[in-house]
Amino acid sequence: MSKNKHPETIALHGGDYRSDPATTAVAVPLYRTTSYQFNDTDHAANLFALKEFGNIYTRIMNPTNDVLEKRVAALEGGLAAVTVGSGQAASTFAIMNVCQSGDNFVSSTDLYGGTVNLFTHTLKKLGIECRYADPSDPSNFEKLIDDRTRCFYAETLPNPYLRVFPIKEVSDIGRKYSIPLIMDNTAAPVICKPLEHGAAVVVHSLTKFIGGHGTVIGGCLVDGGNFDWTKDPKRQPLFNEPDASYGGAQWGVVVPQLTGANVSYAVRSRVVLLRDLGAPLAPDNAWGIIQGLETVPLRMKQHCSNAEKAVAFLQKHKNVERVIYPTLHKGEIGERSKKYMKGGNGALIGIEVKGGVEAGKKFIESLKMFYHVANIGDARSLAIHPATTTHSQLTEEELLAAGVTPGYVRLSIGIEHSDDIIADLDQALGASGKPSLKAVS
Ligand code: PLP
């Protein structure tokens, strides 16, 4: 159904779901159940042994989640997906599915602050080392590889810099060494498809644009099905060495044999990580996210067109020192938005309000329609001051490396009418600083 279809169609019809097999219900039903009746003891044994695929227990799978997983996978052009309780859980699983104690991975420095905490501190305590590479030069990733490097990690459209990640350049480097590139595509669903550019795995915080209505927390991992996990067995031991926790399964070998598809990454994250670490997405939340997913292609168009109009307005405003937006970067970094972003450059805009921290704070407090919240990707317009909130647990050095200057304000432009968005920005900017105008380089 999803093959050769457009995102607007996949969002409504994708994922093999036509109607509920039990009731013929057209809208995706919410299956509130923990467990599933087995046909007989052989059936139960086969499910546990992965000789047959089917529902066992909602910590590991659920029919409502299944539709969401298949639709997100189809939207991204991947083969399979696994939903988890939050975007943070998705990032954690993404790394733990390839790394064990003593291993390392190379991540872009341009990251969500919560991911920096996870990578720098929590994973370190588990013996997994994150090495940071500046993505302005893709070869920085290659310089940090050693025998125990298991993956690369980056965000497509990371704030605050909002420089589009060089997906193909870095994934090409990784593939030479059998190192997969994992892309967090939270800020760019529909408008960028990292798997088409060589990424092996996509991660989403479904909490943001895909859910879209600020009602539900959720996360997802999408297996691109385009990476050979067995090519260099020493590079990917978790997919090639026998897994004592699952009857000696060699995941990279056994999953293609059992399923006929290259979905070892998705299957391992489901049957090992969801089984052992928990953190499933609750079916109620999966259902809520499906309501958002069905309109995400339409909303992304409106988010992006409103953002373009807001950028044009802000660039001319006398009280704005600097505007940060993917297309405003000069040279090769600006060119990347043309190469990777199709149908828009996203909803996120950074601004430095003239007058520094105090002016930035006053601007946020003066907004009447924008909400002052930690989130991005809501249908409503949102604003926040990252240095004192989302990124406040970072050191000064980490803040600067992440591009969070003291006066930076992050805007997530919603789908309201653009005139109303601009009117709110205008009245709030009037409350701060002195005249100045400069676009970001
Ligand atoms: N990745 C990105 C790019 C994010 O912006 C966020 C949250 O802000 C996350 C991951 C974590 O997602 P969640 O809040 O759903 O745990």
Side-chain angles (χ1 to χ4, degrees), residues 86-88 112 155 184 186 205 207-208 217-218 376:
S86 67
Q88 277 301 105
Y112 163 58
E155 288 179 25
D184 179 338
T186 298
S205 165
T207 316
K208 311 288 164 22
I217 301 276
I376 57 167

mmCIF file with all atom_site columns, all heavy atoms in Angstrom, residues 86-88 112 155 184 186 205 207-208 217-218 376, ligand 1:
data_model
loop_
_atom_site.group_PDB
_atom_site.id
_atom_site.type_symbol
_atom_site.label_atom_id
_atom_site.label_alt_id
_atom_site.label_comp_id
_atom_site.label_asym_id
_atom_site.label_entity_id
_atom_site.label_seq_id
_atom_site.pdbx_PDB_ins_code
_atom_site.Cartn_x
_atom_site.Cartn_y
_atom_site.Cartn_z
_atom_site.occupancy
_atom_site.B_iso_or_equiv
_atom_site.pdbx_formal_charge
_atom_site.auth_seq_id
_atom_site.auth_comp_id
_atom_site.auth_asym_id
_atom_site.auth_atom_id
_atom_site.pdbx_PDB_model_num
ATOM   1   N N   . SER A 1 86  ? 9.452  7.276  24.969 1.00 0.00 ? 86  SER A N   1
ATOM   2   C CA  . SER A 1 86  ? 9.795  8.690  24.749 1.00 0.00 ? 86  SER A CA  1
ATOM   3   C C   . SER A 1 86  ? 10.917 8.771  23.717 1.00 0.00 ? 86  SER A C   1
ATOM   4   O O   . SER A 1 86  ? 11.559 7.750  23.414 1.00 0.00 ? 86  SER A O   1
ATOM   5   C CB  . SER A 1 86  ? 10.261 9.344  26.056 1.00 0.00 ? 86  SER A CB  1
ATOM   6   O OG  . SER A 1 86  ? 11.502 8.771  26.449 1.00 0.00 ? 86  SER A OG  1
ATOM   7   N N   . GLY A 1 87  ? 11.173 9.983  23.264 1.00 0.00 ? 87  GLY A N   1
ATOM   8   C CA  . GLY A 1 87  ? 12.309 10.185 22.356 1.00 0.00 ? 87  GLY A CA  1
ATOM   9   C C   . GLY A 1 87  ? 13.619 9.854  23.053 1.00 0.00 ? 87  GLY A C   1
ATOM   10  O O   . GLY A 1 87  ? 14.545 9.309  22.443 1.00 0.00 ? 87  GLY A O   1
ATOM   11  N N   . GLN A 1 88  ? 13.697 10.174 24.349 1.00 0.00 ? 88  GLN A N   1
ATOM   12  C CA  . GLN A 1 88  ? 14.919 9.856  25.099 1.00 0.00 ? 88  GLN A CA  1
ATOM   13  C C   . GLN A 1 88  ? 15.162 8.353  25.128 1.00 0.00 ? 88  GLN A C   1
ATOM   14  O O   . GLN A 1 88  ? 16.296 7.892  24.979 1.00 0.00 ? 88  GLN A O   1
ATOM   15  C CB  . GLN A 1 88  ? 14.810 10.374 26.543 1.00 0.00 ? 88  GLN A CB  1
ATOM   16  C CG  . GLN A 1 88  ? 15.159 11.831 26.714 1.00 0.00 ? 88  GLN A CG  1
ATOM   17  C CD  . GLN A 1 88  ? 16.569 12.161 26.282 1.00 0.00 ? 88  GLN A CD  1
ATOM   18  O OE1 . GLN A 1 88  ? 16.774 12.752 25.219 1.00 0.00 ? 88  GLN A OE1 1
ATOM   19  N NE2 . GLN A 1 88  ? 17.553 11.784 27.067 1.00 0.00 ? 88  GLN A NE2 1
ATOM   20  N N   . TYR A 1 112 ? 20.400 17.887 20.791 1.00 0.00 ? 112 TYR A N   1
ATOM   21  C CA  . TYR A 1 112 ? 19.461 18.263 21.854 1.00 0.00 ? 112 TYR A CA  1
ATOM   22  C C   . TYR A 1 112 ? 20.173 18.089 23.216 1.00 0.00 ? 112 TYR A C   1
ATOM   23  O O   . TYR A 1 112 ? 20.893 17.096 23.412 1.00 0.00 ? 112 TYR A O   1
ATOM   24  C CB  . TYR A 1 112 ? 18.236 17.345 21.723 1.00 0.00 ? 112 TYR A CB  1
ATOM   25  C CG  . TYR A 1 112 ? 17.347 17.293 22.927 1.00 0.00 ? 112 TYR A CG  1
ATOM   26  C CD1 . TYR A 1 112 ? 16.763 18.449 23.443 1.00 0.00 ? 112 TYR A CD1 1
ATOM   27  C CD2 . TYR A 1 112 ? 17.072 16.086 23.556 1.00 0.00 ? 112 TYR A CD2 1
ATOM   28  C CE1 . TYR A 1 112 ? 15.936 18.387 24.556 1.00 0.00 ? 112 TYR A CE1 1
ATOM   29  C CE2 . TYR A 1 112 ? 16.238 16.020 24.657 1.00 0.00 ? 112 TYR A CE2 1
ATOM   30  C CZ  . TYR A 1 112 ? 15.678 17.176 25.153 1.00 0.00 ? 112 TYR A CZ  1
ATOM   31  O OH  . TYR A 1 112 ? 14.870 17.112 26.251 1.00 0.00 ? 112 TYR A OH  1
ATOM   32  N N   . GLU A 1 155 ? 21.739 14.601 14.527 1.00 0.00 ? 155 GLU A N   1
ATOM   33  C CA  . GLU A 1 155 ? 20.378 15.098 14.290 1.00 0.00 ? 155 GLU A CA  1
ATOM   34  C C   . GLU A 1 155 ? 20.318 15.766 12.921 1.00 0.00 ? 155 GLU A C   1
ATOM   35  O O   . GLU A 1 155 ? 21.241 16.495 12.554 1.00 0.00 ? 155 GLU A O   1
ATOM   36  C CB  . GLU A 1 155 ? 19.988 16.142 15.346 1.00 0.00 ? 155 GLU A CB  1
ATOM   37  C CG  . GLU A 1 155 ? 19.737 15.540 16.707 1.00 0.00 ? 155 GLU A CG  1
ATOM   38  C CD  . GLU A 1 155 ? 19.375 16.604 17.750 1.00 0.00 ? 155 GLU A CD  1
ATOM   39  O OE1 . GLU A 1 155 ? 18.862 17.682 17.376 1.00 0.00 ? 155 GLU A OE1 1
ATOM   40  O OE2 . GLU A 1 155 ? 19.636 16.348 18.925 1.00 0.00 ? 155 GLU A OE2 1
ATOM   41  N N   . ASP A 1 184 ? 18.722 11.236 14.262 1.00 0.00 ? 184 ASP A N   1
ATOM   42  C CA  . ASP A 1 184 ? 17.537 11.723 14.973 1.00 0.00 ? 184 ASP A CA  1
ATOM   43  C C   . ASP A 1 184 ? 16.844 12.711 14.041 1.00 0.00 ? 184 ASP A C   1
ATOM   44  O O   . ASP A 1 184 ? 17.340 13.813 13.801 1.00 0.00 ? 184 ASP A O   1
ATOM   45  C CB  . ASP A 1 184 ? 17.978 12.393 16.288 1.00 0.00 ? 184 ASP A CB  1
ATOM   46  C CG  . ASP A 1 184 ? 16.793 12.941 17.085 1.00 0.00 ? 184 ASP A CG  1
ATOM   47  O OD1 . ASP A 1 184 ? 15.730 13.191 16.497 1.00 0.00 ? 184 ASP A OD1 1
ATOM   48  O OD2 . ASP A 1 184 ? 16.956 13.151 18.312 1.00 0.00 ? 184 ASP A OD2 1
ATOM   49  N N   . THR A 1 186 ? 13.783 14.012 14.423 1.00 0.00 ? 186 THR A N   1
ATOM   50  C CA  . THR A 1 186 ? 12.640 14.594 15.132 1.00 0.00 ? 186 THR A CA  1
ATOM   51  C C   . THR A 1 186 ? 12.164 15.906 14.520 1.00 0.00 ? 186 THR A C   1
ATOM   52  O O   . THR A 1 186 ? 10.957 16.146 14.425 1.00 0.00 ? 186 THR A O   1
ATOM   53  C CB  . THR A 1 186 ? 13.049 14.833 16.611 1.00 0.00 ? 186 THR A CB  1
ATOM   54  O OG1 . THR A 1 186 ? 13.358 13.570 17.189 1.00 0.00 ? 186 THR A OG1 1
ATOM   55  C CG2 . THR A 1 186 ? 11.953 15.512 17.410 1.00 0.00 ? 186 THR A CG2 1
ATOM   56  N N   . SER A 1 205 ? 11.637 11.550 18.283 1.00 0.00 ? 205 SER A N   1
ATOM   57  C CA  . SER A 1 205 ? 10.777 11.858 19.413 1.00 0.00 ? 205 SER A CA  1
ATOM   58  C C   . SER A 1 205 ? 9.417  12.111 18.777 1.00 0.00 ? 205 SER A C   1
ATOM   59  O O   . SER A 1 205 ? 9.211  13.129 18.107 1.00 0.00 ? 205 SER A O   1
ATOM   60  C CB  . SER A 1 205 ? 11.273 13.104 20.154 1.00 0.00 ? 205 SER A CB  1
ATOM   61  O OG  . SER A 1 205 ? 10.230 13.558 21.002 1.00 0.00 ? 205 SER A OG  1
ATOM   62  N N   . THR A 1 207 ? 6.877  12.824 20.241 1.00 0.00 ? 207 THR A N   1
ATOM   63  C CA  . THR A 1 207 ? 6.301  13.897 21.054 1.00 0.00 ? 207 THR A CA  1
ATOM   64  C C   . THR A 1 207 ? 6.154  15.197 20.263 1.00 0.00 ? 207 THR A C   1
ATOM   65  O O   . THR A 1 207 ? 5.335  16.042 20.600 1.00 0.00 ? 207 THR A O   1
ATOM   66  C CB  . THR A 1 207 ? 7.291  14.165 22.225 1.00 0.00 ? 207 THR A CB  1
ATOM   67  O OG1 . THR A 1 207 ? 7.724  12.918 22.770 1.00 0.00 ? 207 THR A OG1 1
ATOM   68  C CG2 . THR A 1 207 ? 6.696  15.032 23.283 1.00 0.00 ? 207 THR A CG2 1
ATOM   69  N N   . LYS A 1 208 ? 6.982  15.352 19.239 1.00 0.00 ? 208 LYS A N   1
ATOM   70  C CA  . LYS A 1 208 ? 7.104  16.646 18.552 1.00 0.00 ? 208 LYS A CA  1
ATOM   71  C C   . LYS A 1 208 ? 6.181  16.690 17.326 1.00 0.00 ? 208 LYS A C   1
ATOM   72  O O   . LYS A 1 208 ? 4.997  16.543 17.475 1.00 0.00 ? 208 LYS A O   1
ATOM   73  C CB  . LYS A 1 208 ? 8.582  16.874 18.187 1.00 0.00 ? 208 LYS A CB  1
ATOM   74  C CG  . LYS A 1 208 ? 9.533  16.619 19.368 1.00 0.00 ? 208 LYS A CG  1
ATOM   75  C CD  . LYS A 1 208 ? 9.412  17.715 20.390 1.00 0.00 ? 208 LYS A CD  1
ATOM   76  C CE  . LYS A 1 208 ? 9.988  17.407 21.768 1.00 0.00 ? 208 LYS A CE  1
ATOM   77  N NZ  . LYS A 1 208 ? 10.970 16.404 21.965 1.00 0.00 ? 208 LYS A NZ  1
ATOM   78  N N   . ILE A 1 217 ? 3.775  11.920 24.946 1.00 0.00 ? 217 ILE A N   1
ATOM   79  C CA  . ILE A 1 217 ? 5.218  11.675 24.836 1.00 0.00 ? 217 ILE A CA  1
ATOM   80  C C   . ILE A 1 217 ? 5.415  10.299 24.197 1.00 0.00 ? 217 ILE A C   1
ATOM   81  O O   . ILE A 1 217 ? 4.749  9.340  24.586 1.00 0.00 ? 217 ILE A O   1
ATOM   82  C CB  . ILE A 1 217 ? 5.877  11.661 26.239 1.00 0.00 ? 217 ILE A CB  1
ATOM   83  C CG1 . ILE A 1 217 ? 5.668  12.985 26.984 1.00 0.00 ? 217 ILE A CG1 1
ATOM   84  C CG2 . ILE A 1 217 ? 7.351  11.264 26.177 1.00 0.00 ? 217 ILE A CG2 1
ATOM   85  C CD1 . ILE A 1 217 ? 6.625  14.081 26.686 1.00 0.00 ? 217 ILE A CD1 1
ATOM   86  N N   . GLY A 1 218 ? 6.334  10.214 23.255 1.00 0.00 ? 218 GLY A N   1
ATOM   87  C CA  . GLY A 1 218 ? 6.611  8.909  22.635 1.00 0.00 ? 218 GLY A CA  1
ATOM   88  C C   . GLY A 1 218 ? 7.871  8.960  21.799 1.00 0.00 ? 218 GLY A C   1
ATOM   89  O O   . GLY A 1 218 ? 8.378  10.033 21.464 1.00 0.00 ? 218 GLY A O   1
ATOM   90  N N   . ILE A 1 376 ? 9.118  21.461 21.301 1.00 0.00 ? 376 ILE A N   1
ATOM   91  C CA  . ILE A 1 376 ? 9.094  21.967 19.920 1.00 0.00 ? 376 ILE A CA  1
ATOM   92  C C   . ILE A 1 376 ? 8.063  21.134 19.160 1.00 0.00 ? 376 ILE A C   1
ATOM   93  O O   . ILE A 1 376 ? 7.633  20.089 19.636 1.00 0.00 ? 376 ILE A O   1
ATOM   94  C CB  . ILE A 1 376 ? 10.471 21.847 19.207 1.00 0.00 ? 376 ILE A CB  1
ATOM   95  C CG1 . ILE A 1 376 ? 10.958 20.386 19.210 1.00 0.00 ? 376 ILE A CG1 1
ATOM   96  C CG2 . ILE A 1 376 ? 11.503 22.771 19.813 1.00 0.00 ? 376 ILE A CG2 1
ATOM   97  C CD1 . ILE A 1 376 ? 12.135 20.108 18.277 1.00 0.00 ? 376 ILE A CD1 1
HETATM 98  N N1  . PLP B 2 .   ? 15.540 14.398 20.166 1.00 0.00 ? 1   PLP B N1  1
HETATM 99  C C1  . PLP B 2 .   ? 15.251 15.686 19.937 1.00 0.00 ? 1   PLP B C1  1
HETATM 100 C C2  . PLP B 2 .   ? 15.818 16.356 18.708 1.00 0.00 ? 1   PLP B C2  1
HETATM 101 C C3  . PLP B 2 .   ? 14.460 16.410 20.822 1.00 0.00 ? 1   PLP B C3  1
HETATM 102 O O1  . PLP B 2 .   ? 14.192 17.711 20.584 1.00 0.00 ? 1   PLP B O1  1
HETATM 103 C C4  . PLP B 2 .   ? 13.949 15.755 21.978 1.00 0.00 ? 1   PLP B C4  1
HETATM 104 C C5  . PLP B 2 .   ? 13.125 16.484 22.977 1.00 0.00 ? 1   PLP B C5  1
HETATM 105 O O2  . PLP B 2 .   ? 13.086 17.668 23.033 1.00 0.00 ? 1   PLP B O2  1
HETATM 106 C C6  . PLP B 2 .   ? 14.269 14.415 22.171 1.00 0.00 ? 1   PLP B C6  1
HETATM 107 C C7  . PLP B 2 .   ? 15.051 13.759 21.246 1.00 0.00 ? 1   PLP B C7  1
HETATM 108 C C8  . PLP B 2 .   ? 13.743 13.665 23.364 1.00 0.00 ? 1   PLP B C8  1
HETATM 109 O O3  . PLP B 2 .   ? 12.390 13.388 23.160 1.00 0.00 ? 1   PLP B O3  1
HETATM 110 P P1  . PLP B 2 .   ? 11.314 13.181 24.330 1.00 0.00 ? 1   PLP B P1  1
HETATM 111 O O4  . PLP B 2 .   ? 11.078 14.504 24.952 1.00 0.00 ? 1   PLP B O4  1
HETATM 112 O O5  . PLP B 2 .   ? 10.132 12.612 23.600 1.00 0.00 ? 1   PLP B O5  1
HETATM 113 O O6  . PLP B 2 .   ? 11.907 12.206 25.293 1.00 0.00 ? 1   PLP B O6  1
#
